Amino acid sequence: MKTVVIVGAGLGGLAAGILLQSKGFQVTIIEKNQHAGGKMREYKEQGYSFDFGPNTITMPHVFTNVINEAGFNAQDYLQFIRLENHTMNEWEDGTRLLQSSNTKKNR
Ligand SMILES: Cc1cc2nc3c(=O)[nH]c(=O)nc-3n(C[C@H](O)[C@H](O)[C@H](O)COP(=O)(O)OP(=O)(O)OC[C@H]3O[C@@H](n4cnc5c(N)ncnc54)[C@H](O)[C@@H]3O)c2cc1C
């Protein structure tokens, strides 16, 4: 059996690890942090939780393909719900940018 060592358990490393293992490789993932997910993580501060990293999933099929290609059914693990208003950015001067999956509204 061929072995592979992946440095970093971010989305890239995890996806590569899942796919390589499903193809018969013996995979070891080395991560310097205490958590997997890399930039995709939860941050807690003063009792509040913040989701960091990808919040706008523009290509859900990329996520589902990784799971399906590994021989599982993505629908058993993930459910994507399309939100019309999904991200709000706010600056110090009060300017707000509301991002929407509705192209007209987004423009
Ligand atoms: C605030 C924010 C918002 C974002 N929003 C979006 C979005 O809406 N949509 C979108 O598609 N993308 C978004 N991104 C980008 C997305 O999060 C990244 O592209 C993706 O998570 C990167 O994954 P990665 O595996 O390439 O890298 P990373 O997530 O950075 O993972 C790399 C991993 O390698 C580890 N590592 C590094 N060096 C070593 C070492 N020497 N030894 C051991 N481990 C090591 C790190 O600790 C880390 O866990 C956002 C990013 C941020 C920061």
Side-chain angles (χ1 to χ4, degrees), residues 8-74:
L11 283 180
L14 291 172
I18 290 169
L19 291 173
L20 287 167
Q21 185 165 287
S22 74
K23 303 213 178 326
F25 288 82
Q26 169 82 44
V27 177
T28 301
I29 303 181
I30 297 172
E31 171 55 52
K32 67 178 177 179
N33 286 324
Q34 294 296 314
H35 62 88
K39 291 189 182 73
M40 183 180 71
R41 68 189 185 97
E42 187 184 48
Y43 173 75
K44 284 189 188 291
E45 177 78 42
Q46 297 175 28
Y48 294 95
S49 298
F50 301 89
D51 289 327
F52 271 29
N55 46 25
T56 307
I57 308 296
T58 50
M59 295 188 291
H61 63 277
V62 173
F63 283 80
T64 53
N65 282 354
V66 170
I67 298 171
N68 291 336
E69 276 188 41
F72 297 90
N73 185 356

Short mmCIF file of all heavy atoms in Angstrom, two decimals, residues 8-74:
data_model
loop_
_atom_site.label_atom_id
_atom_site.label_comp_id
_atom_site.label_asym_id
_atom_site.label_seq_id
_atom_site.Cartn_x
_atom_site.Cartn_y
_atom_site.Cartn_z
N GLY A 8 -1.08 19.74 6.96
CA GLY A 8 -2.16 20.71 7.09
C GLY A 8 -3.52 20.07 6.94
O GLY A 8 -3.81 19.41 5.93
N ALA A 9 -4.36 20.26 7.98
CA ALA A 9 -5.71 19.69 7.96
C ALA A 9 -6.75 20.77 7.69
O ALA A 9 -7.80 20.84 8.32
CB ALA A 9 -6.01 18.98 9.28
N GLY A 10 -6.43 21.67 6.73
CA GLY A 10 -7.42 22.63 6.27
C GLY A 10 -8.34 21.93 5.28
O GLY A 10 -8.25 20.71 5.07
N LEU A 11 -9.22 22.70 4.63
CA LEU A 11 -10.14 22.08 3.67
C LEU A 11 -9.39 21.34 2.57
O LEU A 11 -9.80 20.26 2.15
CB LEU A 11 -11.05 23.15 3.04
CG LEU A 11 -12.19 23.66 3.90
CD1 LEU A 11 -12.98 24.71 3.13
CD2 LEU A 11 -13.09 22.52 4.31
N GLY A 12 -8.28 21.94 2.11
CA GLY A 12 -7.49 21.31 1.03
C GLY A 12 -6.91 19.98 1.46
O GLY A 12 -7.04 18.97 0.77
N GLY A 13 -6.26 19.97 2.65
CA GLY A 13 -5.63 18.75 3.15
C GLY A 13 -6.65 17.66 3.45
O GLY A 13 -6.44 16.49 3.15
N LEU A 14 -7.78 18.08 4.05
CA LEU A 14 -8.82 17.09 4.39
C LEU A 14 -9.42 16.48 3.13
O LEU A 14 -9.62 15.27 3.04
CB LEU A 14 -9.91 17.74 5.24
CG LEU A 14 -9.49 18.14 6.66
CD1 LEU A 14 -10.61 18.95 7.35
CD2 LEU A 14 -9.15 16.92 7.51
N ALA A 15 -9.70 17.33 2.14
CA ALA A 15 -10.31 16.83 0.89
C ALA A 15 -9.33 15.88 0.18
O ALA A 15 -9.72 14.79 -0.27
CB ALA A 15 -10.68 17.99 -0.03
N ALA A 16 -8.05 16.28 0.13
CA ALA A 16 -7.05 15.42 -0.52
C ALA A 16 -6.94 14.10 0.24
O ALA A 16 -6.88 13.02 -0.37
CB ALA A 16 -5.70 16.13 -0.55
N GLY A 17 -6.96 14.17 1.57
CA GLY A 17 -6.84 12.97 2.40
C GLY A 17 -8.01 12.01 2.17
O GLY A 17 -7.82 10.80 2.02
N ILE A 18 -9.22 12.56 2.14
CA ILE A 18 -10.41 11.72 1.94
C ILE A 18 -10.33 11.02 0.58
O ILE A 18 -10.54 9.81 0.45
CB ILE A 18 -11.70 12.59 2.03
CG1 ILE A 18 -11.92 13.05 3.46
CG2 ILE A 18 -12.91 11.81 1.51
CD1 ILE A 18 -12.99 14.12 3.61
N LEU A 19 -9.98 11.80 -0.46
CA LEU A 19 -9.95 11.22 -1.81
C LEU A 19 -8.83 10.19 -1.97
O LEU A 19 -9.04 9.12 -2.55
CB LEU A 19 -9.81 12.33 -2.87
CG LEU A 19 -11.06 13.22 -2.99
CD1 LEU A 19 -10.80 14.40 -3.92
CD2 LEU A 19 -12.25 12.41 -3.49
N LEU A 20 -7.65 10.51 -1.44
CA LEU A 20 -6.53 9.56 -1.57
C LEU A 20 -6.80 8.27 -0.79
O LEU A 20 -6.53 7.18 -1.28
CB LEU A 20 -5.23 10.22 -1.10
CG LEU A 20 -4.67 11.28 -2.06
CD1 LEU A 20 -3.59 12.10 -1.38
CD2 LEU A 20 -4.11 10.62 -3.32
N GLN A 21 -7.37 8.43 0.40
CA GLN A 21 -7.66 7.22 1.20
C GLN A 21 -8.68 6.34 0.49
O GLN A 21 -8.57 5.12 0.47
CB GLN A 21 -8.15 7.62 2.58
CG GLN A 21 -8.34 6.41 3.49
CD GLN A 21 -8.49 6.80 4.94
OE1 GLN A 21 -7.52 7.20 5.58
NE2 GLN A 21 -9.70 6.73 5.44
N SER A 22 -9.68 7.00 -0.14
CA SER A 22 -10.70 6.21 -0.85
C SER A 22 -10.11 5.48 -2.06
O SER A 22 -10.70 4.53 -2.56
CB SER A 22 -11.87 7.11 -1.28
OG SER A 22 -11.47 7.91 -2.38
N LYS A 23 -8.95 5.96 -2.53
CA LYS A 23 -8.30 5.30 -3.67
C LYS A 23 -7.24 4.29 -3.21
O LYS A 23 -6.43 3.81 -3.99
CB LYS A 23 -7.69 6.33 -4.62
CG LYS A 23 -8.74 7.34 -5.11
CD LYS A 23 -8.50 7.82 -6.47
CE LYS A 23 -9.58 8.78 -6.99
NZ LYS A 23 -10.95 8.56 -6.53
N GLY A 24 -7.21 4.03 -1.91
CA GLY A 24 -6.36 2.95 -1.40
C GLY A 24 -5.04 3.38 -0.79
O GLY A 24 -4.24 2.54 -0.42
N PHE A 25 -4.82 4.69 -0.69
CA PHE A 25 -3.56 5.15 -0.06
C PHE A 25 -3.71 5.12 1.47
O PHE A 25 -4.80 5.35 2.00
CB PHE A 25 -3.23 6.59 -0.50
CG PHE A 25 -2.77 6.70 -1.92
CD1 PHE A 25 -3.69 6.74 -2.97
CD2 PHE A 25 -1.42 6.74 -2.22
CE1 PHE A 25 -3.27 6.83 -4.29
CE2 PHE A 25 -1.00 6.84 -3.54
CZ PHE A 25 -1.92 6.88 -4.57
N GLN A 26 -2.58 4.90 2.11
CA GLN A 26 -2.54 5.01 3.58
C GLN A 26 -2.19 6.48 3.86
O GLN A 26 -1.09 6.93 3.53
CB GLN A 26 -1.44 4.08 4.11
CG GLN A 26 -1.06 4.26 5.56
CD GLN A 26 -2.03 3.54 6.49
OE1 GLN A 26 -2.37 2.40 6.23
NE2 GLN A 26 -2.45 4.21 7.54
N VAL A 27 -3.13 7.24 4.41
CA VAL A 27 -2.95 8.69 4.54
C VAL A 27 -2.69 9.10 5.99
O VAL A 27 -3.39 8.66 6.91
CB VAL A 27 -4.22 9.44 4.04
CG1 VAL A 27 -4.08 10.94 4.23
CG2 VAL A 27 -4.48 9.11 2.57
N THR A 28 -1.68 9.95 6.17
CA THR A 28 -1.45 10.56 7.47
C THR A 28 -1.52 12.08 7.27
O THR A 28 -0.88 12.60 6.36
CB THR A 28 -0.05 10.21 8.02
OG1 THR A 28 0.04 8.78 8.13
CG2 THR A 28 0.20 10.83 9.38
N ILE A 29 -2.33 12.76 8.07
CA ILE A 29 -2.41 14.22 7.99
C ILE A 29 -1.77 14.81 9.24
O ILE A 29 -2.13 14.42 10.36
CB ILE A 29 -3.87 14.72 7.85
CG1 ILE A 29 -4.53 14.09 6.61
CG2 ILE A 29 -3.91 16.24 7.77
CD1 ILE A 29 -5.96 14.53 6.38
N ILE A 30 -0.81 15.72 9.04
CA ILE A 30 -0.12 16.35 10.17
C ILE A 30 -0.63 17.79 10.28
O ILE A 30 -0.62 18.53 9.29
CB ILE A 30 1.41 16.36 9.94
CG1 ILE A 30 1.91 14.92 9.86
CG2 ILE A 30 2.12 17.13 11.04
CD1 ILE A 30 3.36 14.81 9.45
N GLU A 31 -1.08 18.15 11.48
CA GLU A 31 -1.64 19.49 11.69
C GLU A 31 -0.96 20.13 12.88
O GLU A 31 -0.85 19.51 13.95
CB GLU A 31 -3.16 19.38 11.90
CG GLU A 31 -3.83 20.66 12.34
CD GLU A 31 -3.56 21.84 11.41
OE1 GLU A 31 -3.75 21.72 10.20
OE2 GLU A 31 -3.13 22.89 11.92
N LYS A 32 -0.52 21.37 12.72
CA LYS A 32 0.20 22.03 13.82
C LYS A 32 -0.75 22.59 14.89
O LYS A 32 -0.35 22.77 16.04
CB LYS A 32 1.13 23.13 13.29
CG LYS A 32 0.41 24.31 12.68
CD LYS A 32 1.39 25.38 12.22
CE LYS A 32 0.66 26.51 11.54
NZ LYS A 32 1.54 27.58 11.09
N ASN A 33 -2.00 22.87 14.50
CA ASN A 33 -2.96 23.39 15.48
C ASN A 33 -3.66 22.24 16.21
O ASN A 33 -3.53 21.08 15.83
CB ASN A 33 -4.02 24.25 14.78
CG ASN A 33 -3.46 25.59 14.35
OD1 ASN A 33 -2.63 26.17 15.05
ND2 ASN A 33 -3.91 26.08 13.20
N GLN A 34 -4.44 22.61 17.21
CA GLN A 34 -5.19 21.61 17.98
C GLN A 34 -6.49 21.23 17.28
O GLN A 34 -7.17 20.32 17.70
CB GLN A 34 -5.52 22.16 19.38
CG GLN A 34 -4.31 22.38 20.27
CD GLN A 34 -3.60 21.08 20.58
OE1 GLN A 34 -4.23 20.09 20.93
NE2 GLN A 34 -2.29 21.07 20.43
N HIS A 35 -6.85 21.98 16.24
CA HIS A 35 -8.14 21.73 15.58
C HIS A 35 -7.93 21.47 14.09
O HIS A 35 -7.00 22.00 13.48
CB HIS A 35 -9.08 22.94 15.75
CG HIS A 35 -8.54 24.20 15.13
ND1 HIS A 35 -8.78 24.53 13.81
CD2 HIS A 35 -7.75 25.17 15.61
CE1 HIS A 35 -8.18 25.66 13.53
NE2 HIS A 35 -7.54 26.08 14.61
N ALA A 36 -8.82 20.69 13.52
CA ALA A 36 -8.82 20.49 12.07
C ALA A 36 -9.70 21.58 11.45
O ALA A 36 -10.47 22.23 12.13
CB ALA A 36 -9.37 19.12 11.74
N GLY A 37 -9.54 21.78 10.16
CA GLY A 37 -10.40 22.76 9.47
C GLY A 37 -9.64 23.97 8.97
O GLY A 37 -10.12 24.70 8.11
N GLY A 38 -8.45 24.23 9.53
CA GLY A 38 -7.66 25.38 9.08
C GLY A 38 -8.42 26.68 9.26
O GLY A 38 -8.91 26.97 10.36
N LYS A 39 -8.57 27.43 8.16
CA LYS A 39 -9.25 28.74 8.26
C LYS A 39 -10.74 28.58 8.57
O LYS A 39 -11.39 29.51 9.03
CB LYS A 39 -9.10 29.49 6.94
CG LYS A 39 -7.68 29.95 6.68
CD LYS A 39 -7.64 30.88 5.48
CE LYS A 39 -6.21 31.31 5.18
NZ LYS A 39 -5.44 30.20 4.58
N MET A 40 -11.27 27.39 8.28
CA MET A 40 -12.68 27.16 8.58
C MET A 40 -12.79 26.70 10.03
O MET A 40 -12.48 25.57 10.37
CB MET A 40 -13.25 26.09 7.66
CG MET A 40 -14.74 25.86 7.86
SD MET A 40 -15.35 24.58 6.76
CE MET A 40 -14.61 23.13 7.48
N ARG A 41 -13.18 27.61 10.91
CA ARG A 41 -13.23 27.25 12.32
C ARG A 41 -14.16 28.18 13.09
O ARG A 41 -14.56 29.24 12.58
CB ARG A 41 -11.83 27.28 12.94
CG ARG A 41 -11.27 28.68 13.04
CD ARG A 41 -9.82 28.65 13.46
NE ARG A 41 -9.32 30.01 13.66
CZ ARG A 41 -9.24 30.60 14.84
NH1 ARG A 41 -9.62 29.99 15.93
NH2 ARG A 41 -8.79 31.84 14.94
N GLU A 42 -14.43 27.77 14.30
CA GLU A 42 -15.27 28.59 15.17
C GLU A 42 -14.36 29.32 16.16
O GLU A 42 -13.41 28.74 16.68
CB GLU A 42 -16.24 27.69 15.94
CG GLU A 42 -17.25 28.45 16.74
CD GLU A 42 -18.13 27.51 17.56
OE1 GLU A 42 -17.61 26.60 18.22
OE2 GLU A 42 -19.36 27.70 17.52
N TYR A 43 -14.66 30.58 16.39
CA TYR A 43 -13.88 31.38 17.34
C TYR A 43 -14.83 31.88 18.41
O TYR A 43 -15.89 32.45 18.10
CB TYR A 43 -13.23 32.55 16.58
CG TYR A 43 -12.52 33.54 17.44
CD1 TYR A 43 -11.29 33.24 18.01
CD2 TYR A 43 -13.09 34.79 17.68
CE1 TYR A 43 -10.64 34.17 18.81
CE2 TYR A 43 -12.44 35.73 18.47
CZ TYR A 43 -11.22 35.41 19.04
OH TYR A 43 -10.58 36.32 19.83
N LYS A 44 -14.47 31.66 19.67
CA LYS A 44 -15.35 32.09 20.76
C LYS A 44 -14.72 33.27 21.51
O LYS A 44 -13.54 33.25 21.81
CB LYS A 44 -15.58 30.95 21.74
CG LYS A 44 -16.55 29.90 21.22
CD LYS A 44 -16.90 28.90 22.34
CE LYS A 44 -17.70 27.74 21.83
NZ LYS A 44 -19.04 28.02 21.39
N GLU A 45 -15.52 34.28 21.79
CA GLU A 45 -15.02 35.47 22.50
C GLU A 45 -16.17 36.02 23.34
O GLU A 45 -17.25 36.30 22.79
CB GLU A 45 -14.53 36.50 21.45
CG GLU A 45 -14.05 37.81 22.00
CD GLU A 45 -12.64 37.73 22.57
OE1 GLU A 45 -11.79 37.08 21.95
OE2 GLU A 45 -12.41 38.33 23.65
N GLN A 46 -15.93 36.16 24.64
CA GLN A 46 -16.91 36.74 25.56
C GLN A 46 -18.31 36.12 25.40
O GLN A 46 -19.31 36.83 25.38
CB GLN A 46 -16.98 38.25 25.34
CG GLN A 46 -15.67 38.95 25.66
CD GLN A 46 -15.70 40.43 25.33
OE1 GLN A 46 -16.74 41.05 25.33
NE2 GLN A 46 -14.53 40.96 25.03
N GLY A 47 -18.34 34.82 25.25
CA GLY A 47 -19.64 34.14 25.19
C GLY A 47 -20.28 34.13 23.82
O GLY A 47 -21.35 33.56 23.62
N TYR A 48 -19.63 34.79 22.84
CA TYR A 48 -20.18 34.80 21.49
C TYR A 48 -19.37 33.86 20.60
O TYR A 48 -18.16 33.69 20.80
CB TYR A 48 -20.14 36.21 20.87
CG TYR A 48 -21.03 37.20 21.57
CD1 TYR A 48 -20.53 38.02 22.58
CD2 TYR A 48 -22.38 37.29 21.25
CE1 TYR A 48 -21.35 38.91 23.24
CE2 TYR A 48 -23.21 38.18 21.90
CZ TYR A 48 -22.69 39.00 22.91
OH TYR A 48 -23.50 39.87 23.56
N SER A 49 -20.04 33.26 19.62
CA SER A 49 -19.35 32.37 18.68
C SER A 49 -19.33 33.01 17.30
O SER A 49 -20.34 33.57 16.86
CB SER A 49 -20.11 31.04 18.55
OG SER A 49 -20.13 30.39 19.77
N PHE A 50 -18.17 32.94 16.66
CA PHE A 50 -18.03 33.48 15.30
C PHE A 50 -17.54 32.36 14.38
O PHE A 50 -16.60 31.64 14.73
CB PHE A 50 -17.00 34.61 15.27
CG PHE A 50 -17.35 35.77 16.16
CD1 PHE A 50 -16.93 35.78 17.48
CD2 PHE A 50 -18.12 36.82 15.70
CE1 PHE A 50 -17.25 36.83 18.33
CE2 PHE A 50 -18.45 37.88 16.53
CZ PHE A 50 -18.01 37.89 17.85
N ASP A 51 -18.19 32.20 13.24
CA ASP A 51 -17.73 31.24 12.25
C ASP A 51 -16.74 31.94 11.33
O ASP A 51 -17.09 32.95 10.71
CB ASP A 51 -18.89 30.68 11.42
CG ASP A 51 -19.77 29.76 12.25
OD1 ASP A 51 -19.22 29.10 13.14
OD2 ASP A 51 -20.98 29.73 12.01
N PHE A 52 -15.52 31.43 11.26
CA PHE A 52 -14.50 32.01 10.40
C PHE A 52 -14.39 31.22 9.11
O PHE A 52 -14.77 30.05 9.06
CB PHE A 52 -13.14 32.00 11.09
CG PHE A 52 -12.90 33.23 11.93
CD1 PHE A 52 -13.95 33.92 12.50
CD2 PHE A 52 -11.61 33.69 12.13
CE1 PHE A 52 -13.72 35.04 13.27
CE2 PHE A 52 -11.37 34.82 12.91
CZ PHE A 52 -12.42 35.49 13.48
N GLY A 53 -13.77 31.83 8.12
CA GLY A 53 -13.50 31.11 6.87
C GLY A 53 -14.71 31.09 5.97
O GLY A 53 -15.53 31.99 6.01
N PRO A 54 -14.82 30.06 5.15
CA PRO A 54 -15.84 30.07 4.10
C PRO A 54 -17.25 30.20 4.67
O PRO A 54 -17.68 29.37 5.45
CB PRO A 54 -15.69 28.71 3.42
CG PRO A 54 -14.46 28.10 3.94
CD PRO A 54 -14.05 28.83 5.16
N ASN A 55 -17.91 31.28 4.32
CA ASN A 55 -19.32 31.41 4.69
C ASN A 55 -20.18 31.53 3.44
O ASN A 55 -21.39 31.43 3.50
CB ASN A 55 -19.55 32.60 5.63
CG ASN A 55 -18.82 33.83 5.15
OD1 ASN A 55 -18.55 33.96 3.96
ND2 ASN A 55 -18.49 34.73 6.06
N THR A 56 -19.53 31.78 2.30
CA THR A 56 -20.26 31.88 1.04
C THR A 56 -19.83 30.71 0.16
O THR A 56 -18.75 30.75 -0.43
CB THR A 56 -19.93 33.21 0.33
OG1 THR A 56 -20.17 34.27 1.24
CG2 THR A 56 -20.80 33.39 -0.90
N ILE A 57 -20.61 29.67 0.14
CA ILE A 57 -20.25 28.49 -0.62
C ILE A 57 -20.79 28.67 -2.04
O ILE A 57 -21.99 28.53 -2.28
CB ILE A 57 -20.82 27.21 0.02
CG1 ILE A 57 -20.46 27.13 1.50
CG2 ILE A 57 -20.36 25.96 -0.74
CD1 ILE A 57 -19.00 27.02 1.82
N THR A 58 -19.90 29.01 -2.95
CA THR A 58 -20.35 29.28 -4.32
C THR A 58 -20.40 28.00 -5.17
O THR A 58 -21.05 27.98 -6.20
CB THR A 58 -19.42 30.30 -5.01
OG1 THR A 58 -18.07 29.85 -4.82
CG2 THR A 58 -19.58 31.69 -4.43
N MET A 59 -19.69 26.97 -4.76
CA MET A 59 -19.69 25.73 -5.53
C MET A 59 -19.96 24.53 -4.62
O MET A 59 -19.05 23.75 -4.31
CB MET A 59 -18.35 25.57 -6.26
CG MET A 59 -18.14 26.65 -7.32
SD MET A 59 -16.70 26.37 -8.35
CE MET A 59 -15.39 26.64 -7.21
N PRO A 60 -21.21 24.36 -4.16
CA PRO A 60 -21.51 23.26 -3.24
C PRO A 60 -21.16 21.89 -3.83
O PRO A 60 -20.84 20.96 -3.08
CB PRO A 60 -23.01 23.38 -2.98
CG PRO A 60 -23.53 24.42 -3.88
CD PRO A 60 -22.38 25.20 -4.43
N HIS A 61 -21.19 21.78 -5.17
CA HIS A 61 -20.89 20.47 -5.77
C HIS A 61 -19.46 20.02 -5.48
O HIS A 61 -19.17 18.83 -5.49
CB HIS A 61 -21.15 20.50 -7.28
CG HIS A 61 -20.28 21.45 -8.03
ND1 HIS A 61 -20.56 22.80 -8.13
CD2 HIS A 61 -19.11 21.26 -8.68
CE1 HIS A 61 -19.60 23.38 -8.83
NE2 HIS A 61 -18.71 22.48 -9.18
N VAL A 62 -18.56 20.98 -5.21
CA VAL A 62 -17.18 20.59 -4.90
C VAL A 62 -17.15 19.82 -3.57
O VAL A 62 -16.47 18.80 -3.43
CB VAL A 62 -16.26 21.82 -4.84
CG1 VAL A 62 -14.86 21.45 -4.36
CG2 VAL A 62 -16.18 22.48 -6.22
N PHE A 63 -17.94 20.29 -2.59
CA PHE A 63 -18.02 19.59 -1.30
C PHE A 63 -18.65 18.21 -1.48
O PHE A 63 -18.14 17.22 -0.99
CB PHE A 63 -18.88 20.39 -0.31
CG PHE A 63 -18.18 21.58 0.28
CD1 PHE A 63 -18.07 22.76 -0.43
CD2 PHE A 63 -17.64 21.52 1.56
CE1 PHE A 63 -17.42 23.86 0.11
CE2 PHE A 63 -17.00 22.61 2.11
CZ PHE A 63 -16.89 23.78 1.38
N THR A 64 -19.78 18.19 -2.18
CA THR A 64 -20.50 16.92 -2.30
C THR A 64 -19.70 15.91 -3.14
O THR A 64 -19.72 14.72 -2.85
CB THR A 64 -21.92 17.12 -2.90
OG1 THR A 64 -21.81 17.85 -4.12
CG2 THR A 64 -22.81 17.87 -1.94
N ASN A 65 -18.95 16.40 -4.15
CA ASN A 65 -18.15 15.49 -4.97
C ASN A 65 -17.11 14.74 -4.15
O ASN A 65 -16.86 13.56 -4.38
CB ASN A 65 -17.42 16.26 -6.09
CG ASN A 65 -18.36 16.61 -7.23
OD1 ASN A 65 -19.50 16.19 -7.24
ND2 ASN A 65 -17.87 17.39 -8.18
N VAL A 66 -16.48 15.45 -3.20
CA VAL A 66 -15.45 14.81 -2.38
C VAL A 66 -16.06 13.62 -1.64
O VAL A 66 -15.50 12.52 -1.60
CB VAL A 66 -14.82 15.81 -1.38
CG1 VAL A 66 -13.93 15.10 -0.37
CG2 VAL A 66 -14.02 16.86 -2.13
N ILE A 67 -17.23 13.83 -1.05
CA ILE A 67 -17.86 12.76 -0.27
C ILE A 67 -18.36 11.64 -1.18
O ILE A 67 -18.14 10.46 -0.91
CB ILE A 67 -19.00 13.35 0.59
CG1 ILE A 67 -18.41 14.36 1.58
CG2 ILE A 67 -19.75 12.24 1.34
CD1 ILE A 67 -19.43 15.16 2.32
N ASN A 68 -18.99 12.03 -2.29
CA ASN A 68 -19.51 11.00 -3.22
C ASN A 68 -18.38 10.18 -3.83
O ASN A 68 -18.48 8.97 -3.96
CB ASN A 68 -20.35 11.65 -4.33
CG ASN A 68 -21.65 12.22 -3.78
OD1 ASN A 68 -22.14 11.78 -2.75
ND2 ASN A 68 -22.21 13.21 -4.47
N GLU A 69 -17.30 10.86 -4.22
CA GLU A 69 -16.16 10.15 -4.84
C GLU A 69 -15.51 9.18 -3.86
O GLU A 69 -14.90 8.20 -4.26
CB GLU A 69 -15.11 11.14 -5.36
CG GLU A 69 -15.45 11.67 -6.74
CD GLU A 69 -14.32 12.49 -7.33
OE1 GLU A 69 -13.15 12.08 -7.18
OE2 GLU A 69 -14.62 13.54 -7.90
N ALA A 70 -15.65 9.48 -2.55
CA ALA A 70 -15.07 8.58 -1.55
C ALA A 70 -15.99 7.38 -1.29
O ALA A 70 -15.69 6.54 -0.44
CB ALA A 70 -14.82 9.35 -0.26
N GLY A 71 -17.12 7.34 -1.99
CA GLY A 71 -17.99 6.16 -1.90
C GLY A 71 -19.13 6.31 -0.90
O GLY A 71 -19.80 5.33 -0.56
N PHE A 72 -19.35 7.55 -0.43
CA PHE A 72 -20.46 7.78 0.49
C PHE A 72 -21.51 8.64 -0.21
O PHE A 72 -21.24 9.18 -1.29
CB PHE A 72 -19.97 8.49 1.76
CG PHE A 72 -18.99 7.66 2.55
CD1 PHE A 72 -17.63 7.76 2.32
CD2 PHE A 72 -19.44 6.76 3.52
CE1 PHE A 72 -16.72 6.99 3.03
CE2 PHE A 72 -18.55 5.99 4.24
CZ PHE A 72 -17.19 6.10 3.99
N ASN A 73 -22.65 8.78 0.44
CA ASN A 73 -23.69 9.62 -0.13
C ASN A 73 -23.67 10.97 0.60
O ASN A 73 -23.99 11.04 1.79
CB ASN A 73 -25.05 8.92 0.04
CG ASN A 73 -26.15 9.70 -0.64
OD1 ASN A 73 -25.92 10.79 -1.18
ND2 ASN A 73 -27.35 9.15 -0.61
N ALA A 74 -23.30 12.02 -0.13
CA ALA A 74 -23.15 13.34 0.50
C ALA A 74 -24.43 13.78 1.20
O ALA A 74 -24.37 14.47 2.23
CB ALA A 74 -22.74 14.37 -0.55
#
